């Protein structure tokens, strides 16, 4: 139910109704709602460890990594909760889950490193890739919530093939992106003098609110939290936003403006379909790893009203359709190999969404360096040669 509806939308009453039992039954097994979330997340970490154990039985390197991907996209894996947000947990529970996640990241990184040493995985930053792959897996599993009627969105075979071989038609493809995502900030030094103070303050609040939402989740961010993070008064934020939904809605609209700008830039400057998609991926990664911080739109919809959810879902589909068009263009012009581009386009989005949650674990987390790794993975996959 957490995976289907979001943590914030599921309580004991909903679970009791789904299972056909009384609410009091749950208190025999779990102390409260947080304890339930913790136990679901703990089981998710244990299940991932079990999948790593099973994958380690495959030959060293790439076969192990691909086996882990296959197991993680299986129907059995879907019976565990996607760990979207640990901020709902108290300090003790959160520490346990985050330590377990890091242990699993380290094991996957070791598999990737062993593959590099064995020569069946191309040179890459194993710590980054070990965080990007689980993010792709989790989003592929979640995508059905926002893309009903598209069963291919979580096609395991297509996603595993993509991770192994990438999208580029030629292995010698080398796409470099030098554009800085911060150039797409809605308020820049160039137009600073032309903007009203109210516009500047609004943008400051939206940037800080977006950063907090990406890091902690919509359900765990209030207008008071935004004011505190800015060092502003509560009244300052309430002057611009009536409530949390108003803040989230405007953060999302800002994000869509940024995403559209990325796609427009790629359409104007990319030489072929593969390069256009790579530009969008690079800019999206930079934005999530850097200061621009558009809200990861797929992640916060549960806290919105039904009307707002419908509008945001429509905008998300529009952005997705534009990026899918680049994939189709690439297959038509020969720059991209033919594969299930719809499944791959959705899975790719997962690489960006969790960046604000794990970037603190990375030494020298340069947005451009992280974006280079993401684009190389998307174009070439992990296979060496």
């Amino acid at each position: 139910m957490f995976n289907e509806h979001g943590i914030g939308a599921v309580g004991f009453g909903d679970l009791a109704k789904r299972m056909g039992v009384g609410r009091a039954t749950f208190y025999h097994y779990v102390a409260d709602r947080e304890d339930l979330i913790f136990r679901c997340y703990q089981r998710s970490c244990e299940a991932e460890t079990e999948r790593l154990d099973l994958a380690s039985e495959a030959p060293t390197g790439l076969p192990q990594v691909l086996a882990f991907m296959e197991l993680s996209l299986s129907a059995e894996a879907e019976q565990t909760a996607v760990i979207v947000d640990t901020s709902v947990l108290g300090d003790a529970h959160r520490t346990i889950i985050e330590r377990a996640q890091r242990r699993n990241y380290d094991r996957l990184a070791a598999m990737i490193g062993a593959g590099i040493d064995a020569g069946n995985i191309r040179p890459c930053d194993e710590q980054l890739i070990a965080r990007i792959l689980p993010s792709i897996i989790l989003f592929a599993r979640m995508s059905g919530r926002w893309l009903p009627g598209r069963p291919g969105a979580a096609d395991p075979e297509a996603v595993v093939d993509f991770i192994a071989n990438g999208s580029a038609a030629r292995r010698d493809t080398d796409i470099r992106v030098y554009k800085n995502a911060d150039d797409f900030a809605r308020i820049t030094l160039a137009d600073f003098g032309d903007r009203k103070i109210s516009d500047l303050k609004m943008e400051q609040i939206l940037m800080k609110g977006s950063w907090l939402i990406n890091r902690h989740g919509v359900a765990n961010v209030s207008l008071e939290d935004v004011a505190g993070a800015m060092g502003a008064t509560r009244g300052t934020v309430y002057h611009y936003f009536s409530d949390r939904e108003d803040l989230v809605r405007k953060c999302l609209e800002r994000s869509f403006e940024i995403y559209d700008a990325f796609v427009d830039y790629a359409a104007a400057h990319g030489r072929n379909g593969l390069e256009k998609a790579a530009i969008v991926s690079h800019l999206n990664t930079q934005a999530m790893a850097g200061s621009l911080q558009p809200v990861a739109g797929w992640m916060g919809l549960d806290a919105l009203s039904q009307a707002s959810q419908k509008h945001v879902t429509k905008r998300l589909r529009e952005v997705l359709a534009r990026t899918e068009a680049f994939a189709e263009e690439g297959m038509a012009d020969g720059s991209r190999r033919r594969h299930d581009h719809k499944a791959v386009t959705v899975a790719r989005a997962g690489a960006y969404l969790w960046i604000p949650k794990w970037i603190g674990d990375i030494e020298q987390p340069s947005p451009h360096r992280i974006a280079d790794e993401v684009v190389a993975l998307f174009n070439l996959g992990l296979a060496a040669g």
Side-chain angles (χ1 to χ4, degrees), residues 117-384:
D117 292 340
N120 58 22
I121 292 180
R122 63 174 177 80
C124 60
D125 186 323
E126 59 262 40
Q127 286 293 334
L128 283 178
I129 299 299
R131 285 159 172 77
I132 292 166
L133 296 185
S135 300
I136 288 173
I137 291 165
L138 296 177
F139 188 65
R141 285 175 49 193
M142 290 179 61
S143 61
R145 287 170 56 189
W146 312 117
L147 297 169
R150 285 186 49 164
D155 180 352
E157 185 177 341
V159 175
V160 172
D161 171 70
F162 167 62
I163 295 303
N165 302 302
S167 294
R170 294 172 54 91
R171 293 290 301 173
D172 59 357
T173 298
D174 183 16
I175 293 176
R176 303 296 177 96
V177 179
Y178 299 101
K179 185 67 172 176
N180 192 328
D182 288 342
D183 293 343
F184 294 86
R186 298 200 302 179
I187 295 178
T188 63
L189 289 175
D191 66 356
F192 182 84
D194 299 327
R195 305 298 292 264
K196 298 177 181 178
I197 295 297
S198 59
D199 293 335
L200 298 173
K201 183 62 70 175
M202 170 76 85
E203 185 66 8
Q204 284 181 315
I205 296 172
L206 291 174
M207 288 184 71
K208 184 59 69 174
S210 297
W211 181 85
L212 288 170
I213 290 168
N214 285 342
R215 190 170 180 83
H216 301 295
V218 170
N220 304 301
V221 175
S222 65
L223 296 187
E224 289 79 2
D225 294 326
V226 177
M230 294 181 63
T233 64
R234 182 173 178 270
T236 298
V237 177
Y238 275 95
H239 177 72
Y240 295 94
F241 305 95
S242 57
D243 53 28
R244 181 174 63 184
E245 173 152 346
D246 188 28
L247 171 70
V248 174
R249 188 169 54 246
K250 288 174 181 173
C251 282
L252 285 165
E253 284 302 325
R254 170 182 176 270
S255 298
F256 291 131
E257 287 184 22
I258 293 170
Y259 295 146
D260 283 339
F262 289 167
V263 176
D264 290 343
Y265 179 84
H269 295 86
R271 293 170 295 181
N272 53 50
L274 182 76
E275 188 165 290
K276 291 174 184 178
I279 290 171
V280 172
S281 297
H282 204 284
L283 292 172
N284 269 325
T285 303
Q286 285 188 59
M288 297 304 292
S291 60
L292 197 57
Q293 290 283 319
V295 164
W298 300 87
M299 305 299 292
L301 305 192
D302 312 294
L304 300 180
S305 67
Q306 288 297 314
S308 293
Q309 285 190 35
K310 184 176 180 180
H311 171 71
V312 172
T313 301
K314 177 176 179 292
R315 292 287 280 120
L316 285 168
R317 288 169 182 257
E318 290 170 354
V319 172
L320 184 65
R322 295 190 71 190
T323 53
E324 283 183 345
F326 289 155
E328 292 164 359
E329 180 182 344
M331 289 188 289
D333 65 31
S335 61
R336 184 168 179 148
R337 67 187 181 91
R338 293 200 170 273
H339 57 163
D340 184 349
H341 68 284
K342 289 185 179 292
V344 167
T345 299
V346 173
R348 287 163 66 117
Y352 322 128
L353 300 184
W354 272 262
I355 289 176
K357 299 179 186 299
W358 55 251
I359 194 170
D361 295 338
I362 302 298
E363 293 184 9
Q364 299 178 333
S366 159
H368 214 92
R369 181 173 70 86
I370 296 173
D372 285 345
E373 286 285 349
V374 168
V375 168
L377 174 67
F378 288 178
N379 286 346
L380 305 177
L382 288 180

Side-chain angles (χ1 to χ4, degrees), residues 7 33-34 37-42 44-45 81-102 105 138 212-220 299 354 356-358 361:
I7 288 175
R33 187 170 176 277
E34 182 191 326
I37 296 169
F38 166 69
R39 289 172 185 267
C40 287
Y41 279 2
Q42 190 174 42
S44 297
C45 293
V82 173
I83 302 178
V84 175
D85 184 22
T86 59
S87 297
V88 296
L89 302 175
D91 290 345
H93 283 163
R94 183 171 64 252
T95 297
I96 291 171
I97 298 303
E98 290 179 351
R99 282 178 178 170
Q101 286 183 297
R102 281 194 290 272
Y105 285 146
L138 296 177
L212 288 170
I213 290 168
N214 285 342
R215 190 170 180 83
H216 301 295
V218 170
N220 304 301
M299 305 299 292
W354 272 262
K357 299 179 186 299
W358 55 251
D361 295 338

